[in-house]
Amino acid sequence: MFGCKCFRWSKLSDLSSREPDTFLLPAPIPQWPQECSGTGFASGTIKLGELEVRKISKLEFVWGCNLSQDRKQGVSIYKPREVPDGFFSLGHYCQSNNKPLRGFVLVAREAAKPEVGDYCSGNPCFPALQNPLDYTLVWSSNDGTEENFDGSGYFWLPQPPEGYKAMGFITTTNPVKPELGEVKCVRADLTDESETYCLILKTSSVLSEVLAIWSIRPRHRGMHGKGISVGTFFCSSYWSPGQELNIACLKNCDTSIQAMPNLDQIHAIIRHYGPTLFFHPGEAYLPSSVQWFLENGAMLYMRGDSAAKPIETDGSSLPGGGTNDGQCWIDLPSDARRDIIMFGNLQSAKLYVHVKPALGGSFTDLAMWIFCPFNGPATLKVGVVNVPLNKVGQHVGDWEHFTLRVSNFTGELWSIYFSQHSGGEWVDVYDLEFIAGNKAIVYSSKSGHASFPHPGNYLQGSSKLGIGIRNDAARSNLYVDSSTQYEIVAAEYLGHKAVSEPCWLQYMREWGPTIIYDSRKELEKIVNHLPMIFRNSVQSIFDKLPMELFKEEGPTGPKEKNNWVGDERW
């Protein structure tokens, strides 16, 4: 994001003569397995009911602005290029110049009317697409002092007919309103609500009115969300968070979500893109398979019953369904097997894959879960001093995950979500490290097993002050290759017979005991031994750390997490 006091509004000759850098995956995308009937995955077109859409990644530069003479400190606007016959643009695309051009916009056309019933609740007598009635000028870089308009940008909002929604803004380089057929508006019942996502640009120039540009995303996301990102942007000079946007996203009204991959294609996707998960060379608490964990002595405890019970190796003796009511939990055995189990078994480890629709079925998310029998204690960093903590952060049972997001238009890996304790981040594919072909690297942090895209020391606290909980990530000979060591455990959209969910997945309670102890005393001792200049800062950071660091509590399993059905936290 660029928040700049003064911009140089670039002439077309300054920017269009230089093609932007584009990113290509390290290896070609394979030919995915196809059924005779076809499923629509990676076919290039997705049917949404009354609409068909295509993703256009070939983009033509329209206008851009730079900070001073540095082209990378600015943004550029693009429009779709080589739009197929019969398809229509819905808006333009904007991105910052400090990253490769890797965006898209969707173009749409009306599909053949369904033979039986309506896909959506609107009146199908009205066309799905209509020209706007007019355009409203939202913002211009021209302050009126230029002798000509060369280099100025004009941002236009389409004014839709009644019962229709605009999908995005368009930009021109002159003050003449665009042609009405430049973009189409979409019938309202075929759209869904959108919201701002990332702030791309905010100016504060004394020469012109303030402009802010955001990328947008569907408001309703997750496995059951129908909203589809069009790839357009939102801009305004007065909008504030909480206000409704005047542009929408598309809605997938086809309940068959026909662009999702079939089971053979899922296996092919995993074999082609499955990342290698590297553990820190000093990692003591390694992963294992769930079966190894159960067959080597994990025990089930019931509240009010002092006698622990062994667990069947497939988890069939675990109580299934319901919610985490605190009535039972899993723990390590109290005999000599405890020290064997807590350090895991790398040879048996695998990634447990949950496959689900994302962004209205325009993408496929493959959430890859890893299980570790034990989560180790944390290490505190205060400047150059590292303080190992005895108990803070440790617990029995640790479920972590990362998620691959694959485009259903092309079968292309688009981004990976890295789960990090109580949060996480989506990382675009051009910011990933690759180890072989199109297989990325995921780094698991020492003891805590949070996932990161690059090696290094990540602080959970204040990077500026150099104070917080360490998350050290590095490559080693300790790794799990998810392209071969995996098991698909759920893909609900394929039907209940397609994937047999393991019994242990239905266990919704905790995979470790809850042990309450006064970890604050341990931290207070550390604070009291620090120089006075650090004490207040360290105490303030401690107060902001998540509560799970301060008590030993086993996590619930993957299916109990809110991102099992919902979207990742981003």
Side-chain angles (χ1 to χ4, degrees):
M1 185 276 289
F2 303 101
C4 307
K5 292 184 177 179
C6 186
F7 263 80
R8 173 174 175 260
W9 309 113
S10 303
K11 296 183 179 181
L12 285 177
S13 58
D14 295 336
L15 292 167
S16 59
S17 61
R18 180 180 180 275
E19 284 294 318
D21 296 328
T22 57
F23 175 85
L24 295 175
L25 286 165
I29 299 175
Q31 183 69 41
W32 306 109
Q34 295 290 333
E35 291 182 343
C36 294
S37 59
T39 62
F41 175 72
S43 67
T45 301
I46 295 181
K47 295 180 180 179
L48 308 181
E50 293 186 46
L51 289 176
E52 292 182 5
V53 291
R54 277 185 175 268
K55 185 178 80 169
I56 304 296
S57 297
K58 292 183 177 180
L59 303 173
E60 178 181 337
F61 175 82
V62 176
W63 180 82
C65 56
N66 290 345
L67 172 62
S68 186
Q69 299 295 320
D70 186 356
R71 182 186 180 279
K72 290 188 176 181
Q73 296 298 310
V75 299
S76 294
I77 311 294
Y78 300 88
K79 65 180 180 180
R81 188 173 62 184
E82 299 179 16
V83 177
D85 290 342
F87 285 84
F88 299 95
S89 175
L90 301 175
H92 289 177
Y93 169 76
C94 177
Q95 74 163 52
S96 60
N97 294 334
N98 63 355
K99 62 182 183 180
L101 178 59
R102 188 174 167 72
F104 69 89
V105 287
L106 299 187
V107 295
R109 71 178 178 187
E110 295 197 35
K113 297 293 184 182
E115 294 182 3
V116 180
D118 298 329
Y119 282 100
C120 287
S121 59
N123 188 342
C125 295
F126 291 95
L129 300 172
Q130 284 273 50
N131 287 342
L133 300 177
D134 198 1
Y135 293 94
T136 299
L137 181 63
V138 175
W139 185 87
S140 170
S141 64
N142 179 21
D143 60 3
T145 61
E146 294 178 287
E147 295 181 359
N148 58 66
F149 301 115
D150 189 18
S152 295
Y154 299 82
F155 288 73
W156 304 91
L157 173 65
Q159 296 301 306
E162 185 177 357
Y164 288 78
K165 297 279 189 179
M167 296 287 104
F169 293 77
I170 59 176
T171 305
T172 65
T173 55
N174 63 68
V176 179
K177 289 184 179 181
E179 296 289 334
L180 293 180
E182 179 76 16
V183 293
K184 293 289 186 180
C185 299
V186 178
R187 206 174 69 221
D189 62 295
L190 305 179
T191 71
D192 209 344
E193 293 179 74
S194 61
E195 65 181 21
T196 57
Y197 177 32
C198 293
L199 181 61
I200 302 173
L201 168 74
K202 186 171 184 179
T203 70
S204 54
S205 173
V206 297
L207 301 177
S208 60
E209 191 177 16
V210 170
L211 171 69
I213 302 177
W214 291 264
S215 63
I216 56 175
R217 63 182 183 182
R219 182 180 298 276
H220 306 118
R221 300 182 303 280
M223 191 161 68
H224 302 303
K226 296 182 178 181
I228 291 181
S229 293
V230 179
T232 54
F233 63 89
F234 172 75
C235 67
S236 178
S237 58
Y238 59 85
W239 182 85
S240 59
Q243 289 182 304
E244 184 178 350
L245 302 190
N246 48 20
I247 59 174
C249 65
L250 290 172
K251 180 195 292 185
N252 192 346
C253 298
D254 185 353
T255 57
S256 68
I257 48 175
Q258 50 80 39
M260 292 292 294
N262 60 37
L263 196 56
D264 288 340
Q265 291 166 338
I266 292 171
H267 284 291
I269 290 169
I270 296 172
R271 288 192 294 267
H272 185 74
Y273 290 124
T276 297
L277 178 61
F278 279 101
F279 292 85
H280 192 275
E283 181 62 75
Y285 306 103
L286 292 167
S288 76
S289 68
V290 172
Q291 181 178 353
W292 182 92
F293 175 67
L294 297 181
E295 70 186 8
N296 278 273
M299 306 294 286
L300 178 66
Y301 287 80
M302 306 290 291
R303 188 170 301 281
D305 190 347
S306 59
K309 299 177 182 178
I311 305 170
E312 295 292 333
T313 57
D314 63 354
S316 58
S317 58
L318 291 168
T323 58
N324 181 27
D325 53 14
Q327 295 303 304
C328 57
W329 59 92
I330 298 174
D331 200 357
L332 304 177
S334 57
D335 55 26
R337 295 174 297 171
R338 182 180 182 89
D339 288 340
I340 297 175
I341 297 176
M342 69 187 301
F343 295 114
N345 181 267
L346 191 61
Q347 290 70 35
S348 71
K350 63 176 71 173
L351 278 299
Y352 297 102
V353 186
H354 178 210
V355 189
K356 55 183 178 176
L359 300 179
S362 60
F363 287 86
T364 294
D365 276 2
L366 298 96
M368 295 190 160
W369 294 86
I370 190 79
F371 175 73
C372 296
F374 197 80
N375 190 92
T379 297
L380 175 67
K381 176 179 173 61
V382 183
V384 297
V385 179
N386 297 305
V387 183
L389 303 177
N390 294 327
K391 293 183 178 181
V392 175
Q394 73 176 25
H395 55 80
V396 174
D398 190 25
W399 281 103
E400 299 290 347
H401 79 287
F402 54 89
T403 298
L404 279 64
R405 179 158 286 179
V406 175
S407 169
N408 289 345
F409 287 98
T410 60
E412 184 179 9
L413 177 65
W414 198 253
S415 56
I416 294 181
Y417 179 80
F418 294 81
S419 176
Q420 298 155 2
H421 305 301
S422 57
E425 59 175 337
W426 281 106
V427 176
D428 290 326
V429 68
Y430 53 78
D431 278 335
L432 300 174
E433 292 183 23
F434 291 89
I435 188 171
N438 292 334
K439 297 172 182 173
I441 295 176
V442 177
Y443 294 91
S444 177
S445 66
K446 183 181 178 183
S447 295
H449 310 129
S451 58
F452 294 93
H454 304 287
N457 170 232
Y458 299 85
L459 273 187
Q460 191 175 0
S462 171
S463 299
K464 182 178 180 180
L465 297 176
I467 300 171
I469 300 297
R470 291 180 66 110
N471 287 269
D472 296 324
R475 195 186 298 199
S476 73
N477 60 358
L478 305 171
Y479 63 86
V480 181
D481 181 356
S482 70
S483 70
T484 57
Q485 296 166 263
Y486 72 91
E487 177 184 343
I488 300 173
V489 295
E492 294 91 339
Y493 70 92
L494 291 175
H496 68 279
K497 294 182 179 180
V499 175
S500 179
E501 296 187 6
C503 295
W504 56 260
L505 186 61
Q506 317 311 320
Y507 174 68
M508 311 300 281
R509 281 79 176 180
E510 293 173 349
W511 287 70
T514 297
I515 303 174
I516 303 297
Y517 50 80
D518 194 354
S519 57
R520 289 283 177 178
K521 285 187 177 180
E522 181 181 354
L523 297 179
E524 290 297 338
K525 289 179 182 178
I526 294 170
V527 171
N528 291 336
H529 283 85
L530 294 174
M532 288 296 296
I533 58 172
F534 288 118
R535 291 186 186 179
N536 288 338
S537 297
V538 173
Q539 187 64 59
S540 174
I541 290 169
F542 282 168
D543 293 339
K544 296 176 182 178
L545 292 174
M547 284 303 298
E548 55 261 32
L549 277 172
F550 301 114
K551 61 180 179 178
E552 188 172 333
E553 182 176 25
T556 51
K559 208 167 187 178
E560 179 70 359
K561 309 294 188 186
N562 56 16
N563 59 339
W564 182 268
V565 173
D567 197 14
E568 302 288 1
R569 290 169 287 189
W570 53 301

